[in-house]
Amino acid sequence: TSSDALCTMLPAGTVVHRVSEAWVLACIAEKQLVPPESHPFIFTPQLWPLQPFPPEAEPEAMKVSISIYEGPERAGIAQLLKAMGVKCTSKLNRKNTHLICREAEGEKFAKAKGWGVTVVRAEWLYDCAEHGWSPGSEAAWVVEPPPGEEMVAKEAEGGGMGLGERQIVGSAHSSPASQ
């Protein structure tokens, strides 16, 4: 192939990485080169075609926000959402349909749970990208607090939050040192 011919023209010992469009866009967004192997599902080409959300999923009505994921991984998830035809929002509000969140913690998680927004791990998106979306596909990837733990909200004392906003500080059974 033409790419193999190009590789023969490179100096001996040169390592060639095949990367995805999401990798290129994440590097631009982060203003740094990101090792593609850091998040291979997002940053390396896959051997299957990307499955966009089908019309019955109403992708034009889906609004997804991201929490806990940082840096290049967050940028890659946002690019994947866009490629699948879904709007990614930086702020979570009552109009969001989903929150992609690594763990059951943080202000966005607490607000999403309170508003009835579906909270899932990024693996849900990866599964939809590879196998396609189906009704109820979120169930296997829902983010919940550990059994027996209950999230407790406490009035924020400073910390850069606006007046009247709340902050999740831990579980009802955690000690102050673990918060």
Side-chain angles (χ1 to χ4, degrees):
T1 66
S2 62
S3 64
D4 292 335
L6 182 61
C7 288
T8 62
M9 298 168 54
L10 296 171
T14 301
V15 177
V16 176
H17 294 278
R18 288 183 163 81
V19 296
S20 67
E21 179 184 4
W23 176 84
V24 174
L25 296 170
C27 288
I28 292 168
E30 293 296 310
K31 296 182 172 107
Q32 67 175 341
L33 287 177
V34 178
E37 62 276 4
S38 67
H39 304 293
F41 189 92
I42 304 171
F43 296 149
T44 59
Q46 303 302 318
L47 299 176
W48 37 263
L50 180 68
Q51 302 293 317
F53 283 94
E56 61 268 22
E58 300 180 15
E60 66 283 347
M62 290 177 88
K63 287 180 67 179
V64 181
S65 189
I66 303 169
S67 184
I68 309 287
Y69 295 94
E70 298 293 327
E73 186 176 23
R74 182 186 195 99
I77 291 169
Q79 291 301 325
L80 185 55
L81 285 165
K82 184 177 177 182
M84 294 174 69
V86 175
K87 182 175 182 169
C88 182
T89 64
S90 59
K91 296 189 183 222
L92 179 75
N93 63 47
R94 293 176 192 271
K95 294 180 182 178
N96 280 86
T97 58
H98 295 77
L99 173 65
I100 295 179
C101 188
R102 184 186 309 273
E103 298 172 19
E105 61 184 43
E107 183 181 353
K108 279 187 176 180
F109 175 80
K111 285 186 177 185
K113 294 305 281 182
W115 293 334
V117 173
T118 303
V119 183
V120 292
R121 293 189 312 277
E123 289 79 5
W124 165 74
L125 182 64
Y126 306 156
D127 187 64
C128 289
E130 182 176 0
H131 303 289
W133 175 88
S134 61
S137 63
E138 296 90 347
W141 309 108
V142 169
V143 176
E144 294 287 350
E149 297 230 355
E150 169 185 322
M151 299 303 286
V152 176
K154 174 181 160 185
E155 290 298 324
E157 298 175 292
M161 296 175 67
L163 291 175
E165 291 193 42
R166 301 170 73 77
Q167 179 179 14
I168 297 304
V169 294
S171 75
H173 307 289
S174 63
S175 68
S178 68
Q179 296 178 15

